Amino acid sequence: MHTLTADPNTVVLAGDLLDWATLKTNQIGTLIKLVVGVMVLAAVAMAYWRTKSWVATLVAFLLGALVMWGIANLPSLQTKVGSEIEDTASASVQVPGTGDVRALL
């Protein structure tokens, strides 16, 4: 427990600071998702404006949606990638070297 020097009747707990940090982290994450969404909309509009093609616009929209999905699901993707790397590292494949090939011939 820490008492502020400006007001001796106010007590700031560590939990309050952690709640504030969590709130700010969530707000920054929301801001990043909003900025990426605006950038995706701008990219889709620019793809249509430059090409006047619905196919290029659809491809830009799908790629933008894929990027937004990846950003929204980043925590689950991080755990999946980490588990796949750890699982494949235990099962290594033996590749014969040049000496092994000559011995087989």
Side-chain angles (χ1 to χ4, degrees):
M1 192 171 359
H2 177 71
T3 305
L4 296 174
T5 57
D7 185 11
N9 297 325
T10 303
V11 177
V12 178
L13 300 175
D16 294 337
L17 293 175
L18 293 176
D19 290 341
W20 177 83
T22 302
L23 177 69
K24 290 302 173 188
T25 302
N26 291 340
Q27 288 175 345
I28 290 172
T30 303
L31 178 66
I32 289 172
K33 290 174 188 173
L34 180 67
V35 169
V36 168
V38 169
M39 290 175 68
V40 165
L41 288 176
V44 169
M46 188 174 280
Y48 178 74
W49 180 68
R50 284 187 177 192
T51 62
K52 303 289 192 258
S53 168
W54 288 105
V55 175
T57 306
L58 180 65
V59 169
F61 176 77
L62 290 175
L63 287 175
L66 182 66
V67 168
M68 288 183 65
W69 178 85
I71 290 173
N73 296 315
L74 191 60
S76 65
L77 292 175
Q78 286 176 341
T79 58
K80 286 182 181 179
V81 169
S83 66
E84 289 178 8
I85 290 174
E86 291 168 4
D87 291 343
T88 58
S90 61
S92 62
V93 178
Q94 297 293 328
V95 178
T98 56
D100 296 334
V101 173
R102 290 184 188 142
L104 292 174
L105 296 176

